[in-house]
Amino acid sequence: QVQLAESGGGSVQSGGSLTLSCEASGQTDDVGCMGWFRQAPGQEREAVAMIDRYGDTSYRDSVKGRVTISQDNADKTMYLQMNSLQPEDTAMYYCAARETWWLCVASGQGNDMDFWGKGTLVTISS
């Protein structure tokens, strides 16, 4: 089992920045793919950014150039640096992980992810 805990959410104005953190614990050596997902009110959950155990990354088109996913294996922490935030980025952001590393891409709703955090809320005001 892997436990995930997000932090770093908050309220910022349009154009601002936030960095989300996801601390992993448990059997983290088994993790092959991790990522960030978000769900806005009334919307489906969507993948934002993914990173596999080899450090390869993938981003959804709407965040490319504004968002950077990274991981610190020593601290077992994954980060999501978000810049130039817009009101449409407002959502609950979730950290997720799975054991398999292949096809670790930012698409879909994360139905293939094995472990989830409880989420951290990001609110962007115009």
Side-chain angles (χ1 to χ4, degrees), residues 2-6 22-23 93-97 115-120:
V2 175
Q3 294 78 44
L4 303 171
E6 304 94 337
C22 172
E23 185 173 352
Y93 283 71
Y94 298 92
C95 168
F115 310 104
W116 291 87
K118 294 183 178 180
T120 185

Side-chain angles (χ1 to χ4, degrees), residues 79-120:
Y79 302 95
L80 189 70
Q81 171 68 44
M82 303 188 291
N83 301 316
S84 301
L85 286 162
Q86 300 301 315
E88 52 265 36
D89 295 315
T90 294
M92 184 70 80
Y93 283 71
Y94 298 92
C95 168
R98 68 169 198 236
E99 295 185 359
T100 55
W101 61 266
W102 52 86
L103 295 178
C104 187
V105 295
S107 65
Q109 299 180 40
N111 294 330
D112 57 345
M113 305 305 283
D114 300 317
F115 310 104
W116 291 87
K118 294 183 178 180
T120 185

Side-chain angles (χ1 to χ4, degrees), residues 23 48 73:
E23 185 173 352
V48 177
N73 293 326

Side-chain angles (χ1 to χ4, degrees), residues 7-98:
S7 62
S11 298
V12 298
Q13 290 188 328
S14 179
S17 299
L18 280 175
T19 298
L20 307 183
S21 299
C22 172
E23 185 173 352
S25 59
Q27 296 177 305
T28 57
D29 288 346
D30 294 337
V31 172
C33 171
M34 293 186 71
W36 291 95
F37 294 78
R38 67 186 181 187
Q39 187 167 21
Q43 303 294 317
E44 292 184 342
R45 186 175 61 202
E46 61 185 19
V48 177
M50 309 293 291
I51 187 166
D52 68 19
R53 61 172 45 184
Y54 303 107
D56 290 334
T57 59
S58 173
Y59 300 92
R60 71 178 298 107
D61 287 344
S62 63
V63 304
K64 285 181 179 177
R66 300 191 295 121
V67 165
T68 302
I69 188 171
S70 61
Q71 59 187 5
D72 184 328
N73 293 326
D75 290 342
K76 298 182 179 181
T77 303
M78 179 177 66
Y79 302 95
L80 189 70
Q81 171 68 44
M82 303 188 291
N83 301 316
S84 301
L85 286 162
Q86 300 301 315
E88 52 265 36
D89 295 315
T90 294
M92 184 70 80
Y93 283 71
Y94 298 92
C95 168
R98 68 169 198 236

